[in-house]
Amino acid sequence: QVHLVESGGGLVQAGGSLRLSCAASGRTNTVHAMGWYRQAPGKEREQVAAVLKAKGSITSYADSVKGRFTISNDNAKNTVYLQMNNLTPEDTAVYYCAAKYGSVWGYWGQGTQVTVSS
């Protein structure tokens, strides 16, 4: 079992920045990728960014956040970060940290609210 705890959400004005953190504990050696998802009201959950745990240089991003968001991981701290810059109201959502084992994004955090005001 892997336990994920997110932090860093909040209210920010458009154009501002936030950094989300996700601390993992438990059987983290079974995880090979970490990611951030988000879900806005009335919309499906979407993957925002992901990173390979063993190779932090291998990342992927949703088109909507490319150039504005950066995912990174610190394996020594079992923590993954999401730096979000130039935020827009369309980024408002609950952001979830997720961990992947095998082909399954099987571990999820409780979510943290990000609200961007115009």
Side-chain angles (χ1 to χ4, degrees):
Q1 188 73 10
V2 174
H3 188 53
L4 304 173
V5 179
E6 303 104 333
S7 61
L11 174 65
V12 64
Q13 289 188 332
S17 298
L18 283 174
R19 188 174 86 150
L20 306 182
S21 299
C22 172
S25 60
R27 299 185 62 186
T28 57
N29 60 309
T30 63
V31 170
H32 68 85
M34 299 289 293
W36 288 95
Y37 284 71
R38 68 185 180 186
Q39 188 166 21
K43 295 187 177 180
E44 294 186 354
R45 187 174 297 189
E46 64 170 346
Q47 187 181 86
V48 174
V51 60
L52 284 185
K53 188 180 174 187
K55 294 186 177 181
S57 59
I58 299 179
T59 58
S60 65
Y61 296 93
D63 288 343
S64 58
V65 306
K66 282 180 182 177
R68 301 188 298 121
F69 290 13
T70 303
I71 189 170
S72 61
N73 62 317
D74 184 335
N75 287 331
K77 296 182 179 180
N78 283 319
T79 300
V80 63
Y81 305 96
L82 185 68
Q83 177 67 44
M84 306 185 293
N85 298 327
N86 195 20
L87 286 159
T88 73
E90 288 69 37
D91 296 314
T92 295
V94 178
Y95 284 71
Y96 297 90
C97 176
K100 189 175 186 180
Y101 59 93
S103 61
V104 178
W105 289 96
Y107 299 115
W108 294 86
Q110 81 285 356
T112 185
Q113 177 70 46
V114 170
T115 302
V116 184
S117 63
S118 58

